[in-house]
Amino acid sequence: MDTIVLDCKGLKCPEPLTLLRNAIRKAEDGQIVELLSDDPVSLRDVPAFCKFMKHDLLRMPDDQHPNSFLVKKRA
């Protein structure tokens, strides 16, 4: 299974979250989606989405991976 990469840099809420939600729906169980988003609202929305939908948030943006979220789809 390849990682699905969504380059949403430059997009504003709710577009990054909408694209993430659509990608997760199409992904296989256990597949990883990398969301690249520079919208500051994503820092709140992505963790809340993962918690609500019970997907695994593997990475939040940091110095080594700016603007990068890794989400693993759960069944």
Side-chain angles (χ1 to χ4, degrees):
M1 260 182 294
D2 291 334
T3 298
I4 299 169
V5 179
L6 303 173
D7 188 351
C8 297
K9 292 189 296 267
L11 300 179
K12 299 297 177 201
C13 179
E15 291 176 288
L17 191 62
T18 300
L19 292 171
L20 175 62
R21 187 178 70 229
N22 291 340
I24 288 284
R25 281 185 184 151
K26 295 176 185 174
E28 297 176 37
D29 292 344
Q31 192 165 16
I32 294 174
V33 177
E34 180 176 17
L35 172 68
L36 303 172
S37 176
D38 54 3
D39 181 7
V41 178
S42 292
L43 294 170
R44 179 197 69 210
D45 285 354
V46 172
F49 167 77
C50 291
K51 183 177 180 181
F52 182 74
M53 299 302 292
K54 298 185 175 30
H55 298 301
D56 296 321
L57 181 57
L58 303 178
R59 182 173 69 212
M60 291 279 292
D62 59 22
D63 290 340
Q64 289 185 331
H65 306 96
N67 308 318
S68 176
F69 299 83
L70 282 184
V71 178
K72 182 176 180 181
K73 181 177 180 173
R74 269 207 196 161

